[in-house]
Amino acid sequence: MRAVTEPATPVGAATALAVERLRVTLGPRTGGHDLVRGVSLTVHRHRTVALVGESGSGKTLTGLALLGLTPPGTSVAAGRLQIGGEELASCSDADLARFRGRRIAMVFQNPMVAMNPVLTIGQQFLQVLRHNLALSRPAARARARDLLGAVGVADAPRRLDQYPFEMSGGMLQRIMLALALSAEPDVLVADEPTTALDTTLQAQVMALLAERQAQLGMGVLLVSHDLGLVAGMADEVDVMYAGRIVERAPTADLFSAPAHPYTQALLRTVRDIASPTTTVLSAIPGAPPQLATLPAGCSFAPRCPLAAPECTVALPELRAVAAGHEVACVRVGQ
């Protein structure tokens, strides 16, 4: 893993992904419940933006919405959704399917269930490569073999003829990464890419991801609840709560000077490796709100130790508190 000390957005960096006012609604767009509420974010090429927050905050749903993969019964709307400068917000499902895999791809949370158990690894590569790159069967198999070798899978020809259940979680995570990168997308959404892996395998998988990112120049949206992983891999961190981004900052700034009370509470749940025996961990009191019955004003106010009457009046918008650092809290700076 790499230590991130450089600015979150280098001068002249090309934009890989630009999203404005993304909403995911359960039920009809009018009268339904917003699960993702006006999320805007930008990911530049060669850079990694992390989405962090408690379970149910909307991180995974945001990633799925970018690929048009949200569950049945939901609808997606955005003011802008651009990949490499090309607008996708108004694309039909058929058009979006053409971009999926080629321009934007995803590594799903659990490779043990994300891969088809009745198809061999080679058959699954064949489907992806023929759909995305229109390769012949022999060319697709040759490319699959090369891709597996690139992510450190030994004896690739034999692995292509095996089924997912014949492999370990770490091996399947590498294979899923190779599948996602097979068409060299502009943007990779990595949703908990090291779930259920031990520390050594986590480091190996993330090193592979960083290596391929450097080679391909991808922008990476890293969805994770693992703040240690985020600290080592991300250039920028966007903190989500109740379907909204409540704080955004370069990684080093967010970990050294978190501004939002929710971010501060989130960081107190993580042990400091510099002083593991003296760190006092604390749970965040209360529970995340039900999105169907959100409180007025700031959604975190019922759990916030700094909440004041003004916190329940209006929903706070992101505002700059330092260079590249934004926070949605009326109490910050008071």
Side-chain angles (χ1 to χ4, degrees), residues 183-206:
E184 301 185 353
D186 297 298
V187 179
L188 180 69
V189 180
D191 186 8
E192 303 285 5
T194 58
T195 297
L197 301 183
D198 62 37
T199 304
T200 300
L201 284 175
Q202 283 186 14
Q204 291 175 358
V205 168
M206 295 311 295

Side-chain angles (χ1 to χ4, degrees), residues 49-113:
V49 172
L51 278 180
V52 304
E54 293 169 288
S55 296
S57 61
K59 307 184 303 297
T60 291
L61 203 54
T62 297
L64 292 172
L66 301 178
L67 288 91
L69 297 176
T70 55
T74 59
S75 58
V76 179
R80 181 168 68 137
L81 173 51
Q82 292 184 347
I83 297 176
E86 191 160 0
E87 183 59 59
L88 305 185
S90 58
C91 278
S92 65
D93 290 342
D95 288 335
L96 190 56
R98 292 190 294 105
F99 287 97
R100 196 181 299 131
R102 301 180 193 179
R103 304 296 302 277
I104 182 169
M106 189 166 189
V107 176
F108 295 94
Q109 279 193 29
N110 188 346
M112 303 297 288
V113 299

Side-chain angles (χ1 to χ4, degrees), residues 12-164:
T15 300
L17 172 69
V19 182
E20 290 182 359
R21 304 183 304 280
L22 176 70
R23 288 188 176 274
V24 180
T25 304
L26 178 63
R29 291 186 182 178
T30 302
H33 303 307
D34 285 342
L35 307 178
V36 174
R37 305 187 292 147
V39 165
S40 298
L41 57 86
T42 302
V43 183
H44 292 85
R45 292 182 64 83
H46 294 280
R47 311 294 281 179
T48 298
V49 172
L51 278 180
V52 304
E54 293 169 288
S55 296
S57 61
K59 307 184 303 297
T60 291
L61 203 54
T62 297
L64 292 172
L66 301 178
L67 288 91
L69 297 176
T70 55
T74 59
S75 58
V76 179
R80 181 168 68 137
L81 173 51
Q82 292 184 347
I83 297 176
E86 191 160 0
E87 183 59 59
L88 305 185
S90 58
C91 278
S92 65
D93 290 342
D95 288 335
L96 190 56
R98 292 190 294 105
F99 287 97
R100 196 181 299 131
R102 301 180 193 179
R103 304 296 302 277
I104 182 169
M106 189 166 189
V107 176
F108 295 94
Q109 279 193 29
N110 188 346
M112 303 297 288
V113 299
M115 303 191 75
N116 193 323
V118 301
L119 296 181
T120 65
I121 300 302
Q123 289 171 323
Q124 296 185 60
F125 267 99
L126 182 66
Q127 289 182 344
V128 171
L129 292 170
R130 297 194 75 178
H131 173 75
N132 288 331
L133 303 179
L135 297 180
S136 66
R137 188 176 295 269
R141 185 174 177 89
R143 181 166 174 80
R145 183 189 61 231
D146 293 342
L147 287 164
L148 291 184
V151 297
V153 175
D155 199 4
R158 182 172 67 88
R159 294 297 188 186
L160 289 173
D161 294 324
Q162 291 183 317
Y163 290 87

